[in-house]
Amino acid sequence: MKDAVLAEYVRDGFVESVHRGYLLALNADGSTALELGDSSALIFPRSCVKSIQGAAMVRAGLKLEPRLLALGCSSHSGSEAHLAAVREILAMAKLDETALQCMLDKPLGDAERRAWGDKPATRISMNCSGKHAAMLLTCVVNGWPTASYLDPVHPLQVAIKAELETLAGEKITLTSTDGCGAPLFLLSVAGLARAIRNITISKDPIHQEVMAASRAFPEMVAGKGRLTTQMIEAVPGLYMKDGAEAVEVASMPDGRTLVFKVSDGSLRPFRVLVHAGLKKLGIDSPYEPENVLGGDRVIGNIRATF
């Protein structure tokens, strides 16, 4: 399961550093447009599967307006609007933020973290708090216990795993724990691509509801100034979601899908890889060169290898 060089850091024409990883781009019909590295390689998809987690929750009876559903499938920046929306979801469950079991953290967004200042980390400001609030509401709707909602054998997590396995077309062989504390399922790069393509083109009203909410409220999915929000706003029909340790998914309503994982976990080549991957699928997206500086001069760039 070998990876491949996806991007190069070039200084005065010399490749100073490289970013290796796995990339799979699927055409509208599901055929392979580009494969770099072994797409059977197993990865943790991290937050890239939040739309699938959201779909499992809606299937289990979660009812949220699109703005709040998008937040339930988000890695939000921690703005005041995001935190207020988390509280809205918790209030629907007659709970407060003390019910959240995500890790303590400060806001994810750069501006939001600066504005947070020296205040202590909280659970509600953690970027996954929207998902956790939605999980708690789903439990309340079903009469499931809330204290154990992150247990892999909890009915909620069993339902999420089943939704992911169905969409990916493969069985989960290892369950770990994500950075936020929720169960995390090991999946192949190809399985992740199939899952995102399948939820995107699905005729299931639940899948359509989840994807439409994320496209309609991109600032809830990520936040102002974030690449995910910028791209969804700029490319009509695009769905995109990033994950920790440099995982990314993007898809179009016709089924064209891009998935990549940077092996070293670096976010540095993300914008380059997203643009080049979408371009390979015939999707035009905004792009600003990722320049390499020598003093005050531009003397190179970060470039995709494809």
Side-chain angles (χ1 to χ4, degrees):
M1 295 188 292
K2 293 183 177 179
D3 56 11
V5 176
L6 303 183
E8 298 171 330
Y9 185 90
V10 183
R11 184 180 297 276
D12 266 335
F14 178 80
V15 177
E16 182 177 15
S17 303
V18 298
H19 292 288
R20 302 183 65 88
Y22 307 90
L23 183 145
L24 183 61
L26 301 179
N27 294 310
D29 63 1
S31 61
T32 299
L34 176 65
E35 179 182 11
L36 295 174
D38 185 352
S39 65
S40 69
L42 296 173
I43 63 170
F44 287 121
R46 306 300 293 265
S47 290
C48 288
V49 294
K50 280 183 173 171
S51 60
I52 296 169
Q53 292 172 310
M57 288 188 271
V58 173
R59 196 175 306 285
L62 176 69
K63 291 181 172 58
L64 291 173
E65 63 173 277
R67 173 181 60 90
L68 296 179
L69 182 54
L71 184 79
C73 303
S74 77
S75 299
H76 65 72
S77 290
S79 70
E80 285 302 320
H82 291 139
L83 304 192
V86 175
R87 293 188 181 100
E88 282 186 65
I89 297 174
L90 289 170
M92 294 169 69
K94 295 182 169 54
L95 297 170
D96 60 28
E97 58 194 86
T98 62
L100 295 168
Q101 294 181 30
C102 50
M103 67 177 287
L104 295 163
D105 201 0
K106 295 185 177 184
L108 177 64
D110 291 338
E112 290 81 2
R113 184 168 285 237
R114 287 194 299 271
W116 193 263
D118 294 330
K119 291 187 293 183
T122 66
R123 300 196 192 282
I124 197 169
S125 56
M126 196 266 166
N127 71 88
C128 295
S129 64
K131 178 184 76 174
H132 282 250
M135 286 181 170
L136 286 164
L137 179 55
T138 305
C139 290
V140 169
V141 167
N142 285 280
W144 293 336
T146 56
S148 59
Y149 77 94
L150 296 182
D151 192 319
V153 300
H154 189 285
L156 170 66
Q157 303 303 337
V158 171
I160 288 172
K161 180 180 178 181
E163 188 86 23
L164 180 57
E165 288 182 330
T166 297
L167 287 167
E170 66 183 53
K171 289 292 184 181
I172 303 301
T173 58
L174 175 66
T175 300
S176 183
T177 307
D178 211 336
C180 68
L184 175 64
F185 306 110
L186 193 69
L187 200 61
S188 71
V189 174
L192 178 57
R194 282 193 301 269
I196 297 302
R197 178 178 179 273
N198 284 337
I199 194 173
T200 300
I201 65 173
S202 175
K203 301 301 182 185
D204 184 334
I206 289 172
H207 293 155
Q208 293 179 344
E209 178 185 354
V210 170
M211 300 303 280
S214 293
R215 293 192 198 101
F217 292 91
E219 196 160 319
M220 299 304 281
V221 177
K224 188 174 182 179
R226 299 257 306 276
L227 178 61
T228 296
T229 296
Q230 291 173 344
M231 294 294 287
I232 295 175
E233 288 176 339
V235 182
L238 180 70
Y239 170 76
M240 202 166 100
K241 186 71 188 73
D242 55 348
E245 293 303 308
V247 190
E248 182 71 90
V249 300
S251 63
M252 294 293 284
D254 63 6
R256 286 176 291 174
T257 300
L258 172 69
V259 168
F260 64 78
K261 154 71 179 171
V262 181
S263 295
D264 62 6
S266 174
L267 303 180
R268 185 168 69 174
F270 250 49
R271 188 176 295 270
V272 168
L273 292 176
V274 167
H275 177 72
L278 292 179
K279 186 176 180 180
K280 188 72 178 180
L281 292 170
I283 302 164
D284 188 32
S285 62
Y287 177 66
E288 295 178 5
E290 296 287 333
N291 294 324
V292 172
L293 299 178
D296 295 331
R297 295 185 301 113
V298 175
I299 60 171
N301 66 341
I302 302 173
R303 68 189 183 195
T305 58
F306 54 93

